[in-house]
Amino acid sequence: MTIPAAAPARVSWPTHTAVLTRRILVHWKQRPFSIAVTLLFPVLIVVMFGQLFGGAMAIRGGAYIDFLIPGMLAMTMLFGLESTVLAVTSDASKGVTERIRAMPVSGLAVLTGRCLADLIGAVAGLVVMMGAGLALGWRPQQMSVLGAVGLLLWLRFAFVWVGIYLGLLLKTPESAVSVQVLVWPVGFLSGVFVSPDTMPAWLSAVATWNPLTATASAVRELAGNPAWAANGWAAEHSVLLAMAWPAVLTLIFLPLATRRYRMLGR
């Protein structure tokens, strides 16, 4: 009588995701200086704008630091975009992605592992930025700040999928520099540092409908901090826009990233 061989144990998608997330976190642990620079760079921007230029900024209803910190919290979610692009592109160029694809690993787990690790990094970035903001004089006035954190991580979740798609699309780590360059215009052309109503009409329209502006304005509203002086639908529905923009970006770039990953090597 022949005893049939036992079927191999099936490893679930959550387990694959956890293993791949841990792989990324271990790599981060081996680069403490690089991680420290990533976390502290937004703090340097806050010190520059809040302490050097803050005295020249007139904000209705409060101090400039209370206007700036919510915007920089949103900006911090954008700054992670180039890190995601560079990490994904580097894995692909070094053959790491192809080696993982050759294993019996869920393709979706590869992407969600990257997404989860980057969200953990975003949480660390928010903790550092909030601590720096409180040290510099930022004072949230309402307990809805927890809701604001949820909106910030929701925005970061959407940017992660944008970054994963661009990382899979680009061929070399050097090409990821173009994304680093483009992050700055997107960040500055928003309501993060100044009110869009201080800009020329066409720039004001672009800045008003920038996803960063929506999240920054929503965080200011939920934290009870001074907002930019403007009327209109976007200004009056910032929380709704802060929920809608990341949903739109995710619906576009999550399927694109998944499809691009499946096409690798073809």
Side-chain angles (χ1 to χ4, degrees):
M1 178 179 176
T2 303
I3 300 176
R10 299 189 64 181
V11 181
S12 64
W13 162 71
T15 302
H16 286 157
T17 299
V19 170
L20 292 170
T21 300
R22 182 178 179 277
R23 166 189 168 264
I24 296 169
L25 296 179
V26 168
H27 284 183
W28 288 353
K29 186 178 179 181
Q30 297 169 352
R31 299 184 292 111
F33 179 76
S34 175
I35 298 303
V37 170
T38 300
L39 293 175
L40 294 176
F41 180 70
V43 177
L44 176 62
I45 302 252
V46 167
V47 172
M48 287 171 47
F49 277 84
Q51 305 300 308
L52 295 180
F53 309 132
M57 300 290 187
I59 299 296
R60 183 188 64 178
Y64 180 63
I65 194 70
D66 289 327
F67 177 89
L68 176 63
I69 293 300
M72 277 306 303
L73 290 172
M75 189 79 155
T76 301
M77 300 299 95
L78 176 65
F79 279 155
L81 176 64
E82 66 266 32
S83 299
T84 302
V85 174
L86 182 60
V88 174
T89 306
S90 297
D91 277 353
S93 65
K94 294 175 182 177
V96 174
T97 304
E98 282 303 316
R99 289 197 294 272
I100 294 176
R101 282 171 55 85
M103 301 177 184
V105 176
S106 167
L108 185 59
V110 176
L111 304 183
T112 53
R114 166 59 57 185
C115 181
L116 182 57
D118 282 7
L119 285 177
I120 293 172
V123 171
L126 285 179
V127 170
V128 171
M129 177 55 65
M130 286 183 170
L134 292 171
L136 292 170
W138 173 55
R139 295 296 180 265
Q141 303 299 318
Q142 300 175 179
M143 293 303 294
S144 301
V145 68
L146 293 177
V149 170
L151 289 178
L152 289 164
L153 292 177
W154 179 222
L155 179 67
R156 177 63 181 138
F157 179 81
F159 282 149
V160 166
W161 289 107
V162 175
I164 290 174
Y165 173 68
L166 293 177
L168 294 172
L169 191 65
L170 299 173
K171 302 298 183 183
T172 63
E174 290 75 19
S175 60
V177 174
S178 60
V179 176
Q180 293 177 312
V181 173
L182 292 175
V183 160
W184 289 99
V186 172
F188 277 94
L189 192 53
S190 68
V192 167
F193 298 102
V194 297
S195 173
D197 69 322
T198 64
M199 306 175 187
W202 69 274
L203 280 178
S204 177
V206 174
T208 296
W209 292 97
N210 187 325
L212 277 183
T213 300
T215 299
S217 300
V219 173
R220 292 180 184 120
E221 179 179 337
L222 293 173
N225 291 141
W228 41 282
N231 298 316
W233 193 92
E236 295 169 1
H237 299 84
S238 58
V239 175
L240 178 61
L241 274 179
M243 293 187 291
W245 264 122
V248 170
L249 291 174
T250 301
L251 287 173
I252 294 172
F253 286 97
L254 192 157
L256 285 175
T258 303
R259 180 173 179 270
R260 181 67 185 174
Y261 179 80
R262 289 172 178 168
M263 291 176 60
L264 289 178
R266 295 184 181 179

